[in-house]
Amino acid sequence: MEDSPGVPSKVLHLRNLPEGVSESEVMMVGAPFGTVANVLILKQKSQGFLEMADTAAATALVSYYSTVPATIRDRTVYIQYSKHQELKTQPQSGGVVGSNLSVLTSGGLGGASPSSSPSVGGVDGSNQLGCVNSVLRVIIENMIYPITIDILNQIFSKYGNIMRVVTFLKNNQFHALIQYPDTVSATAAKTALDGQNIYNGCCTLRIDFSKLSNLTVKYNNERTKDFTRPDLPSGENESAAAALPDISAAFGIPPALLESPALANLRSALLSLAASGSGGTSPSGAAGGLAVPGCVLLVSNLNEKMVTPTALFVLFGVYGDVIRVKILYNKRDSALVQFRESHQAQTALSNLNGVMLYGKKLHVTTSKHAQVQMPQAGSNEDALTEDYTNSPLHRFKKPGSKNYQNIFPPSATLHLSNIPDGVDEECIQTLFSSTGGTVHNFRFFQNDHRMALVQMGSIDEAIGALIGMHNYKINESNHLRVSFSKNPIS
């Protein structure tokens, strides 16, 4: 079939299609521009044909993709007019797939009712393709590193101008709604980015079209932003007003007094103190620092004879900065672990739920509590609760810490760093054997003997060794640093 690239036709010729491409994927290329009437795929040649309802729609498609290359599964697809003015397809053998399709309508897919719409790839078109619009719903899976609106804008603005972004947590997952000015840009972004990782091996994008056709944004802050309205307020005053009850309780000042205009400077100062975690302590033991939903994990099925707050602090601290740990007084096999940031808590949950600790399988869930309360001084719970707010062992206290790039699930192999000169393999093996496990293998880094890998007999043993040896004072000036390794010793 010879095609004429310069003569407009409602039938388009597509080349360089990925292996195993489906009709629905090809249809998505044309959907933003109008009704897709027909699709024909030549699997053996990695080519296909796409018939639009009219020449105007086909012309708009070719014009757009001449400036923004079409992609399917990260593969550039080349599009030109076909010499054919109409496709007449019927079931065939020999690697040809074709069907008459009339379920795609401009301004949204799936215009026909479910009873009259043919199935596409085994899924009813009205259900799967019935919501194409300019708003994308983005879910980020395995979110090890924090994701901000600026990061989303940097990624998604490559496919068109971003108008508005709204982010939120739902079912312990990071969600974002991203609005483009048109469906063409939204479709291009979805096609190119769905299933991709923001960072190597993590922060996977799952993208669908939202049911919403427009986003309403009132504030420009770290959670929402309207790029068309830079004049919007940040909403800090509203947040401060909502925080007054917490400030009142933390510092023992009546709310009515804090609301007084004459004490505006004092109110601002107390809010700043609380936000930085350096506020006073209420009678109930609530230290300064406002409660942040999603930062507290409930850890159950603990070995109550062996577990301590410090053990949980060290283990969970691999995945975020732990602020407080409370082993429940009336249920010693359960504990609350509070993180500085909610995304750190979710990273710990995804990596530690189901692992073995001291011979028992951990159950980790998000707690209903927004923060861990400190007990009264001298109470029975005193030894079971620890505050680590100012601990020097926090791995992520520096913004953009490189430790975010070295977060891995528990493994039998541990990464050691900060090893001083003169400490040999025998010394380290003896230390790690003293934790109750067996050292199966050891290796110094070839070009840097300040780092090494230690392989224990099991993940359970490695967890115990990490808890026992992280921050171990190996000489007068060096404390050992221990984390889980990505790869075993080869």
Side-chain angles (χ1 to χ4, degrees), residues 257-321:
L257 192 60
L258 283 173
E259 292 172 0
S260 169
L263 296 181
N265 291 338
L266 173 62
R267 182 170 62 245
S268 298
L270 294 180
L271 283 167
S272 298
L273 282 171
S276 66
S278 56
T281 302
S282 71
S284 63
L290 302 182
V292 181
C295 286
V296 181
L297 299 179
L298 173 63
V299 186
S300 55
N301 201 41
L302 294 166
N303 185 331
E304 55 188 274
K305 295 182 179 180
M306 298 184 66
V307 73
T308 64
T310 298
L312 295 175
F313 166 72
V314 173
L315 176 59
F316 282 76
V318 172
Y319 301 101
D321 291 339

Side-chain angles (χ1 to χ4, degrees), residues 378-443:
S379 71
N380 293 332
E381 300 179 26
D382 213 12
L384 299 176
T385 309
E386 294 288 345
D387 189 316
Y388 300 99
T389 301
N390 298 315
S391 172
L393 298 184
H394 288 153
R395 299 177 188 248
F396 308 97
K397 55 187 175 183
K398 293 182 179 179
S401 169
K402 290 184 178 180
N403 288 330
Y404 276 116
Q405 303 173 26
N406 297 305
I407 294 179
F408 304 110
S411 66
T413 305
L414 299 172
H415 179 274
L416 315 183
S417 60
N418 207 34
I419 302 172
D421 293 337
V423 174
D424 58 14
E425 177 178 342
E426 182 180 358
C427 176
I428 293 178
Q429 291 208 30
T430 300
L431 283 174
F432 278 78
S433 297
S434 70
T435 62
T438 303
V439 177
H440 279 204
N441 206 346
F442 176 88
R443 190 188 73 197

Side-chain angles (χ1 to χ4, degrees), residues 146-164:
I147 301 301
T148 64
I149 288 179
D150 288 339
I151 291 174
L152 293 173
N153 182 50
Q154 183 179 352
I155 295 168
F156 283 82
S157 62
K158 295 178 181 179
Y159 304 93
N161 292 326
I162 303 297
M163 296 180 66
R164 301 172 188 91

Side-chain angles (χ1 to χ4, degrees), residues 137-454:
R137 184 193 68 172
V138 180
I139 299 175
I140 299 182
E141 297 179 350
N142 190 26
M143 196 176 86
I144 291 178
Y145 309 132
I147 301 301
T148 64
I149 288 179
D150 288 339
I151 291 174
L152 293 173
N153 182 50
Q154 183 179 352
I155 295 168
F156 283 82
S157 62
K158 295 178 181 179
Y159 304 93
N161 292 326
I162 303 297
M163 296 180 66
R164 301 172 188 91
V165 178
V166 175
T167 65
F168 55 95
L169 282 177
K170 182 179 180 182
N171 298 328
N172 298 324
Q173 279 190 313
F174 181 93
H175 287 60
L177 297 174
I178 300 175
Q179 182 176 356
Y180 285 97
D182 53 66
T183 58
V184 174
S185 300
T187 302
K190 180 183 183 301
T191 303
L193 296 174
D194 187 28
Q196 298 298 310
N197 294 330
I198 296 177
Y199 299 105
N200 289 337
C202 65
C203 298
T204 305
L205 295 167
R206 301 298 181 195
I207 306 174
D208 293 300
F209 292 106
S210 171
K211 294 180 181 179
L212 301 174
S213 58
N214 186 59
L215 299 180
T216 300
V217 173
K218 295 182 179 180
Y219 307 117
N220 286 337
N221 52 37
E222 72 275 7
R223 294 180 299 277
T224 63
K225 188 164 187 178
D226 188 332
F227 290 91
T228 69
R229 291 285 309 280
D231 59 311
L232 288 179
S234 65
E236 291 178 355
N237 292 335
E238 289 80 357
S239 299
L244 284 181
D246 293 311
I247 296 297
S248 172
F251 293 93
I253 301 175
L257 192 60
L258 283 173
E259 292 172 0
S260 169
L263 296 181
N265 291 338
L266 173 62
R267 182 170 62 245
S268 298
L270 294 180
L271 283 167
S272 298
L273 282 171
S276 66
S278 56
T281 302
S282 71
S284 63
L290 302 182
V292 181
C295 286
V296 181
L297 299 179
L298 173 63
V299 186
S300 55
N301 201 41
L302 294 166
N303 185 331
E304 55 188 274
K305 295 182 179 180
M306 298 184 66
V307 73
T308 64
T310 298
L312 295 175
F313 166 72
V314 173
L315 176 59
F316 282 76
V318 172
Y319 301 101
D321 291 339
V322 174
I323 304 303
R324 288 178 180 166
V325 178
K326 176 193 284 288
I327 296 177
L328 303 185
Y329 180 73
N330 294 320
K331 192 172 175 55
R332 301 292 179 93
D333 68 344
S334 299
L336 297 174
V337 180
Q338 180 181 346
F339 286 82
R340 191 183 304 277
E341 304 285 349
S342 59
H343 70 83
Q344 296 175 347
Q346 298 311 310
T347 301
L349 186 154
S350 63
N351 281 281
L352 293 177
N353 183 39
V355 305
M356 301 294 292
L357 174 62
Y358 301 141
K360 300 195 72 174
K361 187 176 182 179
L362 294 184
H363 298 312
V364 186
T365 59
T366 302
S367 170
K368 65 181 180 180
H369 298 284
Q371 70 179 142
V372 172
Q373 300 292 332
M374 294 298 293
Q376 294 281 1
S379 71
N380 293 332
E381 300 179 26
D382 213 12
L384 299 176
T385 309
E386 294 288 345
D387 189 316
Y388 300 99
T389 301
N390 298 315
S391 172
L393 298 184
H394 288 153
R395 299 177 188 248
F396 308 97
K397 55 187 175 183
K398 293 182 179 179
S401 169
K402 290 184 178 180
N403 288 330
Y404 276 116
Q405 303 173 26
N406 297 305
I407 294 179
F408 304 110
S411 66
T413 305
L414 299 172
H415 179 274
L416 315 183
S417 60
N418 207 34
I419 302 172
D421 293 337
V423 174
D424 58 14
E425 177 178 342
E426 182 180 358
C427 176
I428 293 178
Q429 291 208 30
T430 300
L431 283 174
F432 278 78
S433 297
S434 70
T435 62
T438 303
V439 177
H440 279 204
N441 206 346
F442 176 88
R443 190 188 73 197
F444 275 114
F445 277 47
Q446 184 174 356
N447 298 321
D448 189 353
H449 275 211
R450 293 174 299 175
M451 295 191 290
L453 297 177
V454 174

